[in-house]
Amino acid sequence: MQSFCLEVKGDYACFTRPEMKVERVSYDFITPSAARSVFDSILWKPEIRWEVERIEILAPVRWISVRRNEVGAVISTRNLQTVMTAGHGQLGLYVEDERQQRAGLFLRDVRYRLHARLVSVKGEALHNPAKYAEMFTRRASKGQCVNQPYLGCREFDARFRLVTTPHGEPEPCAEIDGDFGWMLYDMDFSRPADPKPMFFRARVVRGVLDLEGVEVRR
């Protein structure tokens, strides 16, 4: 199946490390799952899925530390079921009572070139691939999307551009090179009630993260 390429950039990004329990600390660059979500935001159908093949880091890794307000609670499932059964009750959260101030270590001025291909969710040959290719190309070239793509957090919106030819495009940052340790690859939704994280070893070569054939562990 044909591969597609997007240039994605934003003022801020946070691809949160799952081992950080309280404070938000970002990975050094975009994760494959976050890259997939950008493609999903432009074209999503239940019969297809995106496989990210390659991530090119186009801007140096820059950090910013921010302290912000967050809501530290969610509506409980038990309370929701009680209200639904009774037909009345209180489902709201009072922000002033649940507000928490947390620090975060985010990325700033990020820019990536993402490569992905369309495949069938069943692992079979995609029926009528030209139709999906035309739909994605048309939407991406016009800046259209199903929902606003974002960079890790919904408040960090992403701006994207369809790249049709690599000629004349900027080179990846060669100084970003080395082993960046274990990184979140994606979530395994084979059991929707109990999704499991999947990880891989992120090795960047002169600004390029090649995802073809990487070993994914659960």
Side-chain angles (χ1 to χ4, degrees):
M1 180 60 187
Q2 176 186 354
S3 292
F4 300 89
C5 181
L6 293 174
E7 181 184 303
V8 177
K9 60 183 178 180
D11 299 326
Y12 302 100
C14 181
F15 310 108
T16 307
R17 292 178 175 270
E19 65 267 26
M20 302 300 178
K21 301 299 184 182
V22 178
E23 312 295 351
R24 290 184 184 270
V25 178
S26 178
Y27 284 112
D28 295 71
F29 44 85
I30 190 170
T31 61
S33 59
R36 173 185 55 76
S37 295
V38 175
F39 285 90
D40 280 338
S41 69
I42 299 172
L43 176 64
W44 181 90
K45 298 289 182 182
E47 65 273 16
I48 62 175
R49 64 183 175 88
W50 289 98
E51 282 189 357
V52 180
E53 304 172 305
R54 177 184 174 102
I55 294 173
E56 298 177 34
I57 307 167
L58 305 179
V61 178
R62 296 190 176 97
W63 299 93
I64 183 171
S65 181
V66 177
R67 187 173 294 276
R68 62 181 187 169
N69 294 322
E70 295 186 6
V71 176
V74 296
I75 299 173
S76 71
T77 304
R78 179 176 297 178
N79 186 39
L80 177 61
Q81 291 174 339
T82 301
V83 173
M84 291 178 64
T85 302
H88 60 84
Q90 180 58 257
L91 284 177
L93 286 176
Y94 293 96
V95 175
E96 295 297 332
D97 296 335
E98 304 295 344
R99 178 178 293 157
Q100 296 180 356
Q101 194 172 73
R102 295 179 178 176
L105 187 59
F106 305 149
L107 298 168
R108 63 183 179 90
D109 302 323
V110 300
R111 189 179 178 191
Y112 308 105
R113 196 157 50 233
L114 311 176
H115 301 258
R117 64 174 178 265
L118 270 174
V119 298
S120 168
V121 294
K122 298 180 180 180
E124 304 169 352
L126 193 63
H127 179 66
N128 196 6
K131 178 184 70 173
Y132 299 108
E134 190 278 330
M135 290 172 62
F136 178 81
T137 302
R138 184 182 70 252
R139 291 183 182 184
S141 61
K142 294 181 178 180
Q144 297 173 339
C145 50
V146 179
N147 50 64
Q148 176 62 45
Y150 56 90
L151 298 168
C153 296
R154 289 190 180 276
E155 59 266 40
F156 300 153
D157 65 296
R159 302 182 293 277
F160 64 88
R161 175 177 68 89
L162 179 67
V163 178
T164 56
T165 173
H167 179 70
E169 295 294 331
E171 294 293 326
C173 283
E175 63 269 23
I176 304 175
D177 191 276
D179 189 337
F180 286 81
W182 292 99
M183 173 181 275
L184 179 69
Y185 182 79
D186 213 323
M187 300 295 292
D188 180 2
F189 291 101
S190 57
R191 298 176 59 187
D194 186 27
K196 299 292 185 182
M198 301 183 292
F199 297 89
F200 76 108
R201 196 81 182 185
R203 295 182 174 90
V204 178
V205 179
R206 297 181 63 83
V208 177
L209 177 63
D210 190 353
L211 296 165
E212 289 288 343
V214 294
E215 180 185 0
V216 179
R217 298 185 180 180
R218 290 168 173 79

